[in-house]
Every structure is written in structure tokens, then in C-alpha cells.
């Protein structure tokens, strides 16, 4: 049996555990007292901040695999999680909004996780506690931060969060996604949808281009003379050959992309007049979808574990912060190496993290880390493509070991099967996160 | 304004040939007849069935088509449950009713709801399994040609009500079929390690076994599980994601996963 068990024995001193604090009104009604495994003795505590693909998965796996031996609290401000993955399919009319929404009920009821609907606003690393906007605080033995992304200020001149209703980003799913879809549906005949695409690195590398496909799909039916403009600071993008082939087949003449060689990296927006200025030339558009440059969700910087790029470097074997061994960082917020920022990646990293946290807090067996990712994208009806890779932990980074990508010229039947596979994946990862 | 997305450069150069799929779909006009089915099911079936006509189904062709089923099902004398239940006497059997096979909750519910396998219901199920029984564990996309389905059913009829004259059951996947060393089936697996490794599987395969676009992998016989992963690992089964996942699993890790996911309690 090949089990090079990594000794991550950091069980350390548990005598300093504080008793569970009374949190007053900050604790949501859904809080459930899980069955105490060790009565009269404080259980080790894991606090997870962020209830997306990384955080929900980590909370679930720490709680269920430790069978109650670890006290798990999940801090997440929203009561319903809308997944970024498949939100483009909602924009394209392939999913209804409710189908990308998930509640935290099962995590509390089935896995005994203490779900706190509040914002984490500070981390006291010396005293190992997380401050909440509602005024309470949570002490931890291990903290898992999975806060996703925030936007870098001033990355697109003329745009800031106060303009997100005129020029939506729709890059955190929810009301923004609904707003963008409504704006696309309200476009005048022959109007222009413009996307300001983000620079690397950013959440979901094929995401902007799948979105372009979905917008084109909607416009082809309802507004066939409309135009789509992509202003892109990047020379190339994920699945480029597949997307461009698909756009030519499904939406000929509708989509135009301005790359950096033509000023795609020199863009400014004027929300008041609905103008996009590319390399000094102003254009009037009807919908402007600004996806700004990104960095780790704010709490990572507040915890003081981010680098100058705004991301949180981690140790690949355990997803521990390089700045603090008591903190793990998952998903989009982490700087880990070769994995794309995706829900699949975050879910994969969360399982490695959960095992490491459990090993450290309960002494359970720790197996070698392994990671994988697959990203499906929908280009048109029944025209699905995918890219995937496997990864291993090295001391420097999570390193890609092998990969695959769909090919142009595949049969319609294979593309349909790939699309149906993505439906199965959505179903499965949702169950894996929230079930 | 310039630049029509100038450079069709693919950001990822690597890849694995993907020749999955490619199911033949020879459509013929032969037909199944629809005996009495009650209630809601009739409405479903009428929309699925072609016009009924005289039976011109070809059981010998059906025998060849049955090759697609053999990976999971057995039929004939000595047939047992494998990934799917045996198909002896399936005609007339209520869905999900064999007490010694672990069906999906969906299949059991369909049976309790009155679904009985006959020419019409089997024909509808073969055409689109997930349309007739959503969340069934049967991982089969459906057989497109009505003629093919009729021929297959003619062959399956051989195994219903024929007493002791049934032809012997053919095995499901064997090591020989994939050119594998049979000793791969004798490696004991560590279920605890399997439980950790399973995290990589359940991102795509539902833990509860429902097959919705991605096959169910729970509750299989251990040997079938090991063979399937070994076949992907060695490129004998084709699917790029599965070849990627299985390609880096050691024989011991495959055994550990089988110990976790399979329905067999005993170690080899």
C-alpha cells in the first residue's frame, strides 16, 4: 500500500481553547447544536469563512469526516448561495434562476455545522479569532478562508462599485446576474452589448467567453441584428480556438473582439453616457458588462496574508497560508500555482484542506494531496466543450501533471454528451457542497 | 474599429483524443406493439412510440445490439446481478422489484407507482431511460433507432418465460476482454484511503448514485469497478476525464476506491 503519510502533526497545544462564546444576535436562527462528541470538554474548533465551492465543501467534509469530533462554524453573509458556475446558462436561458440557488439548510441539519449568516470583518491571528460585522467573534484552532474574489479598485477607469447597476459585472452571481440578463433582454434592436474582459488572473478563465456565447445565443433569437463587442486586455484566452470556432458556426458576424494589439488594454468607461473609450476612441453601447481586474476577497487582506498581487499564497500540500499555519486559504483567493480559479478547483482543494485540518485537530490519517479540475463551457444549444487537468502538490506550487481539452470538429453527438455531462457535474458538485 | 478576433490560438495545446460517443443510429421502420398500459404512462408512451405495426423484429440483430447492455447486465441461465440487475423474466416484472438487487430510489418508486416492464414500457425506457425514470442509476443515454430497440427487445424476450431452455449467461466485463492481468482483481483495498480518494470522484459522480448525464458509480460489484478503472487507466476505455483521473491511480488506489464504492462487503 503506497501511503506516504505526511506527518503534519501540528496538533499542538489545545489547552488554550476558549469556550464557545455567546454571539448574541449575530448568530442566525439556523444554528444547530451538533451532537457533542466529547461532553464537558471543548472540541477543537474550525471556522470557515465563505460558503461557496471551497468553504461549503471544506465545512461539510471537516464536519462529516470527523463525525462530530471537530466543532465547525461556517460564516457566510447570504442565506441563499447562487453559483457563479452555470450563471451564464441562466443568462442564456438554459437554466432558471432558482436552479442555481442553494441553501445552507442541509449543512446545518445533516452535518451539524453551525451556520452563521454574518460578514467576517477582521481576523486576530494572535488570539485566533474572527470578528463579525454583527459584533460577535468566533475563536478558532484552524481558520479556513474561502472568500472568493473582490475587484481591484480603479482597474477600469470610470468604473467602480457605485456604477454596477449601470454597468454590471455579474461576476458574483445573484442580483447582478439577473440585472445583466434584464439589460440584454431590453436592448434595442440592432444594439450593442460590450464586455470589458478582465486581465489575468481572474475567476473562471473561460467564463467571460462562455458568457459571450450565451449572450449571442439570446440575441440571435430575439435581436439578430445586435452586435457583441469584447474589449480584452489579454492576447489570448481559455479555450480560444473552441470558442472562436463555435462563434463562427453559431453566430457569424455578430461578435467582434478587440485585443491588446488594437487597444483592448487601454479602455475607459463613462457610465453616465454609456460610452466605452478604447484607445481614445469613444463608442456608445447599450449594455456594458464590466468585469474588472480581481484580487482575493477582502478578508484575506484584512487577515494580512495576501501578497502584492492581492492573492493569498498557500502551501500546496495542505492549502495552509504561507504567512500563518493556522489559516488555510481555498479557491479563487489562494495563490497556489497552476490550477485555474474555478468552483471545481476550490472543491478539490477543499477536500485536501479538510483532510489536513482534521489531521491537525484530531490526529486522523493524512494522505498525499491530489487535485483535479474540469471546466465545461456551453457555446450554443447542445454544443458543450471541456478542458481538464490533474495536479500534484510540490513544495513550490500546485503543479499540473496532465490534461485534456475538447477538439474543434467533434461530432454534434459528442458535444451534446459533453453538455449533458456538465449537467450531471452541476448536480453532483452541488450535492457534494451542500448535500 | 478593427480586429475580428484575430488569432485563433488555442490557449491549451495538450490534449487526449476523444473518440467517445459515436453511437450508431440506424433507423428502421420496424416496430413495437403497445399492449395495454394505464394512466399517465400511456400519454408518455404515445409520444415516444412510432406507429404500431406488425412485428418484424430481428432477434439475431438484437443479440448483437445486446452487446451494449452486457457491460452491466447478464441474462440467461446462471445470470446474476452485476452493475445492473439480471434481465431474466424481465417482461411482466414490476420495475425495481427484485429483492436482492439494490435499485435506485427512483426505480423503486417507479415500480411502486405501477411501472411494469412490457414491450411498450421497455421500448420507452430504452429510447430515453432518464425521460421515463428520472434519477435512475442506469447510465445509458438511450437507443435512437426504433428498429434497433424492437430487435433488442426481441432478443431479450428469449430470456423471459423460456424455463430451462435459456442460453447460458455471458459474463460482464472480464480482465481478458481488456487484456488485463486477473491478479488486479485480488488486490485488497483500504476503504479509509478509498474514502479520501473518493472526494475526487464525487465532484462529478453523485454520491447518492443518481445518473444524470454522468454515470453512477455506487453499488457496483467490486470486480466491475476495478476493471472499469483499470481499463481507463490503460486507455482501453475512452473518456478523456476518466483516463486522466484513472491514469494516475495506482493499482492499490483503484482497489481502495473499489472498497469504498462497491457493494461487496468482503475483501478479495
Amino acid at each position: 500500500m503506497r501511503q506516504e503519510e505526511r506527518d503534519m502533526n501540528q496538533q499542538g497545544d489545545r489547552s488554550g481553547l476558549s469556550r464557545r462564546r455567546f454571539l448574541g444576535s449575530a448568530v442566525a436562527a439556523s444554528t444547530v447544536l451538533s451532537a457533542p462528541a466529547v461532553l464537558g470538554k471543548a472540541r477543537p474548533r474550525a471556522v470557515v469563512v465563505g460558503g461557496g465551492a471551497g468553504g461549503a465543501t471544506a465545512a461539510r467534509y471537516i464536519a462529516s469526516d470527523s463525525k462530530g469530533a471537530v466543532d465547525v462554524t461556517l460564516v457566510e453573509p447570504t442565506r441563499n448561495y447562487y453559483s457563479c458556475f452555470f450563471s451564464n446558462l441562466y443568462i442564456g436561458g438554459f437554466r432558471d434562476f432558482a436552479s442555481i440557488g442553494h441553501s445552507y439548510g442541509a449543512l446545518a441539519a445533516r452535518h451539524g455545522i453551525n451556520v452563521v449568516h454574518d460578514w467576517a470583518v477582521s481576523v486576530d491571528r494572535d488570539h485566533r479569532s474572527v470578528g463579525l460585522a454583527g459584533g460577535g467573534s468566533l475563536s478558532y484552532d484552524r481558520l479556513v478562508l474561502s472568500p472568493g474574489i473582490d475587484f481591484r479598485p480603479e482597474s477600469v477607469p470610470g468604473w467602480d462599485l457605485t456604477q454596477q447597476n449601470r454597468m454590471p459585472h455579474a461576476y458574483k452571481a445573484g442580483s447582478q446576474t439577473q440585472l445583466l440578463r434584464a439589460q440584454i433582454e431590453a436592448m434595442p434592436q440592432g444594439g450593442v452589448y460590450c464586455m470589458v474582459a478582465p486581465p489575468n488572473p481572474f475567476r473562471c478563465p473561460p467564463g467571460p467567453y462562455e458568457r459571450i456565447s450565451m449572450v449571442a445565443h439570446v440575441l440571435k433569437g430575439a435581436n439578430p441584428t445586435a452586435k457583441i463587442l469584447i474589449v480584452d486586455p489579454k492576447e489570448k484566452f481559455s479555450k480560444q480556438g473552441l470558442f472562436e470556432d463555435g462563434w463562427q458556426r453559431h453566430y457569424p458576424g455578430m461578435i467582434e473582439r478587440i485585443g491588446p494589439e488594437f487597444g483592448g488594454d487601454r479602455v475607459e468607461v463613462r457610465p453616465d453616457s454609456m460610452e466605452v473609450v478604447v484607445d481614445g476612441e469613444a463608442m456608445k453601447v447599450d449594455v456594458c458588462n464590466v468585469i474588472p481586474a480581481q484580487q482575493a476577497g477582502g478578508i484575506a487582506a484584512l487577515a494580512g496574508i495576501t501578497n502584492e498581487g492581492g492573492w493569498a499564497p498557500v502551501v500546496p500540500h495542505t492549502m495552509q497560508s504561507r504567512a500563518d499555519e493556522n489559516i488555510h486559504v481555498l479557491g479563487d483567493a489562494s495563490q497556489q500555482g497552476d490550477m485555474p480559479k474555478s468552483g471545481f478547483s476550490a472543491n478539490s482543494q477543499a477536500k485536501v484542506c479538510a483532510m489536513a485540518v482534521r489531521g491537525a485537530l484530531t490526529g486522523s490519517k493524512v494522505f498525499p494531496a491530489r487535485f483535479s479540475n474540469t471546466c465545461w463551457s456551453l457555446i450554443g444549444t447542445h454544443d458543450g466543450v471541456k478542458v481538464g487537468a490533474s495536479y500534484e502538490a510540490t513544495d513550490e506550487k500546485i503543479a499540473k501533471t496532465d490534461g485534456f481539452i475538447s477538439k474543434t470538429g467533434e461530432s454534434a453527438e459528442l458535444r451534446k454528451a459533453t453538455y449533458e455531462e456538465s449537467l450531471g457535474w452541476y448536480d453532483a458538485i452541488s450535492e457534494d457542497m451542500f448535500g | 474599429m478593427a480586429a475580428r478576433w484575430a488569432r485563433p490560438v488555442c490557449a491549451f495545446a495538450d490534449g487526449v483524443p476523444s473518440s467517445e460517443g459515436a453511437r450508431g443510429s440506424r433507423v428502421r421502420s420496424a416496430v413495437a406493439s403497445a399492449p395495454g398500459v394505464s394512466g399517465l404512462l400511456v400519454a408518455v408512451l404515445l409520444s415516444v412510440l412510432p406507429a404500431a405495426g406488425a412485428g418484424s423484429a430481428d432477434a439475431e440483430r438484437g443479440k448483437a445490439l445486446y452487446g451494449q447492455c452486457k457491460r452491466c447486465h447478464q441474462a440467461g441461465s446462471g445470470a446474476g446481478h452485476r452493475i445492473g440487475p439480471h434481465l431474466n423474466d424481465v417482461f411482466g416484472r414490476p420495475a425495481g422489484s427484485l429483492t436482492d438487487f439494490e435499485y435506485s430510489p427512483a426505480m423503486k418508486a417507479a415500480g411502486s407507482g405501477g411501472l411494469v416492464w412490457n414491450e411498450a414500457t421497455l421500448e420507452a425506457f430504452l429510447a430515453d431511460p432518464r425521460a421515463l425514470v428520472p434519477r435512475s442509476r442506469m447510465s445509458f443515454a438511450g437507443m435512437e433507432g426504433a428498429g434497433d430497440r424492437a430487435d433488442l427487445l426481441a432478443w431479450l424476450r428469449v430470456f423471459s418465460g423460456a424455463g430451462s431452455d435459456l442460453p447460458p449467461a455471458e459474463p460482464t466485463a472480464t480482465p481478458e476482454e481488456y487484456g488485463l492481468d486477473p491478479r488486479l482483481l485480488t488486490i485488497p483495498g483500504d476503504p479509509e484511503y478509498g474514502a479520501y480518494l473518493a472526494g475526487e470522484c464525487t465532484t462529478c459522480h453523485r454520491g447518492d448514485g443518481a445518473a444524470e448525464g454522468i454515470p453512477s458509480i455506487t453499488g457496483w460489484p467490486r470486480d466491475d469497478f476495478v476493471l472499469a478503472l483499470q481499463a481507463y487507466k490503460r486507455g482501453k476505455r475512452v473518456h478523456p476525464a476518466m483516463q486522466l483521473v484513472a491514469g494516475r491511480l495506482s493499482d492499490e488506489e483503484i482497489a481502495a476506491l473499489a472498497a469504498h464504492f462497491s457493494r461487496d462487503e468482503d475483501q478479495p
Side-chain angles (χ1 to χ4, degrees):
Chain A
M1 180 108 270
R2 191 185 61 140
Q3 285 173 13
E4 347 152 8
E5 289 175 38
R6 299 176 44 74
D7 183 13
M8 330 184 343
N9 194 353
Q10 283 152 359
Q11 298 176 62
D13 174 17
R14 287 194 218 143
S15 59
L17 294 185
S18 60
R19 290 173 57 82
R20 172 179 276 188
R21 294 196 196 176
F22 179 64
L23 293 172
S25 61
V27 180
S30 60
T31 298
V32 165
L33 287 175
S34 48
V38 191
L39 282 170
K41 184 177 145 197
R43 288 181 293 159
R45 299 197 55 164
V47 172
V48 180
V49 174
T57 306
R60 183 209 165 147
Y61 273 74
I62 295 169
S64 60
D65 288 350
S66 73
K67 297 181 175 61
V70 178
D71 181 344
V72 182
T73 296
L74 175 64
V75 182
E76 162 60 43
T78 66
R79 282 161 198 279
N80 282 299
Y81 170 79
Y82 289 94
S83 63
C84 263
F85 38 100
F86 271 31
S87 66
N88 284 331
L89 272 61
Y90 159 75
I91 290 172
F94 292 93
R95 302 282 289 208
D96 63 36
F97 195 62
S99 78
I100 62 167
H102 306 273
S103 86
Y104 294 93
L107 290 183
R110 287 187 53 198
H111 301 291
I113 294 164
N114 178 23
V115 181
V116 176
H117 291 300
D118 202 342
W119 284 95
V121 291
S122 63
V123 176
D124 181 341
R125 283 162 47 187
D126 293 335
H127 296 94
R128 284 184 288 164
S129 85
V130 176
L132 301 176
S137 68
L138 297 163
S139 63
Y140 63 82
D141 297 295
R142 284 297 169 105
L143 175 63
V144 179
L145 296 182
S146 190
I149 52 144
D150 272 330
F151 301 120
R152 291 184 82 87
E154 293 164 29
S155 75
V156 179
W159 191 93
D160 62 35
L161 278 179
T162 66
Q163 302 299 335
Q164 69 172 0
N165 279 8
R166 282 191 69 74
M167 293 189 169
H169 52 81
Y171 229 60
K172 297 182 181 188
S175 56
Q176 275 278 303
T177 322
Q178 293 177 295
L179 176 65
L180 181 63
R181 175 163 146 172
Q183 290 187 355
I184 292 162
E185 286 169 352
M187 272 171 64
Q189 288 296 310
V192 176
Y193 163 98
C194 174
M195 170 187 283
V196 178
N200 292 322
F202 63 99
R203 159 179 284 182
C204 190
Y209 310 96
E210 181 187 57
R211 175 170 297 171
I212 292 295
S213 309
M214 294 296 93
V215 173
H217 173 79
V218 170
L219 294 177
K220 184 183 176 182
N223 192 346
T225 57
K227 294 289 177 200
I228 293 174
L229 181 66
I230 310 166
V231 183
D232 202 334
K234 301 182 294 301
E235 286 194 4
K236 57 183 188 177
F237 59 88
S238 173
K239 297 178 184 163
Q240 184 161 358
L242 294 166
F243 280 117
E244 291 179 345
D245 166 72
W247 293 344
Q248 271 169 326
R249 283 186 293 112
H250 296 291
Y251 321 112
M254 183 179 263
I255 302 166
E256 190 166 334
R257 175 169 171 262
I258 303 175
E261 67 275 37
F262 295 100
D265 56 345
R266 297 181 294 281
V267 63
E268 169 194 341
V269 295
R270 296 172 185 159
D272 290 340
S273 55
M274 283 304 288
E275 284 178 304
V276 178
V277 186
V278 180
D279 207 10
E281 187 186 344
M283 286 169 291
K284 188 101 171 62
V285 301
D286 298 287
V287 175
C288 191
N289 180 190
V290 177
I291 307 175
Q294 296 162 24
Q295 60 191 15
I299 191 69
L302 291 171
I305 57 169
T306 50
N307 61 14
E308 62 283 359
W311 307 101
V314 294
V315 178
H317 301 286
T318 59
M319 301 305 291
Q320 276 166 302
S321 162
R322 295 225 185 243
D324 188 331
E325 65 180 14
N326 295 316
I327 301 179
H328 299 246
V329 187
L330 298 178
D332 296 353
S334 67
Q335 177 157 313
Q336 34 70 23
D338 295 347
M339 296 185 82
K341 297 184 185 299
S342 73
F344 197 124
S345 293
N347 171 271
S348 176
Q349 294 159 11
K351 290 164 184 171
V352 169
C353 165
M355 176 183 60
V357 167
R358 204 159 54 89
L361 296 182
T362 71
S364 65
K365 234 184 213 178
V366 175
F367 298 105
R370 55 200 302 138
F371 304 95
S372 55
N373 175 65
T374 302
C375 287
W376 288 265
S377 300
L378 186 61
I379 302 177
T381 304
H382 290 156
D383 192 357
V385 293
K386 61 184 171 185
V387 59
S390 51
Y391 305 85
E392 65 183 8
T394 68
D395 289 340
E396 297 78 47
K397 64 172 187 174
I398 297 181
K400 180 175 169 181
T401 52
D402 199 1
F404 66 86
I405 183 167
S406 298
K407 304 276 185 291
T408 53
E410 287 172 340
S411 69
E413 192 177 41
L414 175 54
R415 290 294 178 90
K416 180 164 181 263
T418 301
Y419 168 61
E420 288 174 350
E421 200 175 88
S422 75
L423 302 180
W425 163 75
Y426 187 87
D427 214 27
I429 194 175
S430 301
E431 187 206 20
D432 203 35
M433 289 162 60
F434 297 108
Chain B
M1 184 77 22
R4 209 152 285 277
W5 18 285
R7 247 167 275 168
V9 175
C10 193
F12 301 79
D14 55 340
V16 168
S18 41
S19 57
E20 61 194 317
R23 190 178 62 229
S25 60
R26 193 157 75 86
V27 178
R28 299 185 349 173
S29 58
V31 183
S33 62
V37 185
S38 63
L40 188 70
L41 207 49
V42 174
V44 175
L45 293 176
L46 287 178
S47 65
V48 177
L49 282 177
S56 58
D58 179 348
E60 279 305 306
R61 267 199 84 243
K63 182 179 181 181
L65 290 163
Y66 176 71
Q68 296 177 51
C69 317
K70 269 186 351 193
R71 200 169 255 169
C72 299
H73 293 281
Q74 289 186 337
S77 71
H81 302 316
R82 300 301 296 176
I83 296 169
H86 75 69
L87 298 174
N88 292 344
D89 285 320
V90 66
F91 285 80
R93 182 199 296 170
S97 62
L98 295 174
T99 51
D100 54 349
F101 184 77
E102 193 185 327
Y103 293 94
S104 62
M107 186 61 79
K108 279 197 247 184
S112 314
L115 178 62
V116 175
W117 295 125
N118 56 35
E119 187 83 21
T121 54
L122 284 168
E123 163 21 72
F125 192 56
L126 286 174
D128 189 348
R130 280 178 266 150
L132 189 67
V133 186
R135 299 199 169 275
S136 156
R137 283 197 191 125
M138 184 160 104
S139 307
F140 180 61
M143 185 175 279
E144 279 182 20
D148 288 351
R149 298 194 294 271
D151 292 346
L152 174 59
L153 288 175
W155 174 247
L156 283 181
R157 267 206 186 277
V158 170
F159 304 100
S160 282
S164 58
D165 299 335
L166 293 183
E170 297 176 70
T172 53
T174 61
E176 293 73 30
E177 181 183 338
Y178 293 123
L180 301 175
D181 185 340
R183 280 175 297 184
L184 291 170
L185 299 179
T186 64
I187 300 169
D190 173 0
E192 188 182 356
Y193 190 30
Y196 165 62
L197 294 172
E200 191 170 6
C201 312
T202 54
T203 306
C204 297
H205 298 274
R206 284 184 63 105
D208 69 1
E212 301 278 318
I214 290 185
S216 165
I217 57 170
T218 62
W220 291 19
R222 184 179 42 235
D223 290 0
D224 293 283
F225 192 98
V226 170
L227 283 177
L229 278 183
Q230 289 286 357
Y232 282 123
K233 178 181 168 72
R234 289 162 167 74
K236 312 267 183 184
R237 281 181 76 156
V238 181
H239 185 280
M242 283 311 303
Q243 289 182 337
L244 189 73
V245 168
R248 64 170 173 172
L249 290 170
S250 68
D251 295 342
E252 288 76 17
E253 287 169 333
I254 288 175
L257 280 166
H260 174 76
F261 279 114
S262 85
R263 64 172 181 245
D264 301 337
E265 300 279 320
D266 308 329
Q267 287 288 332

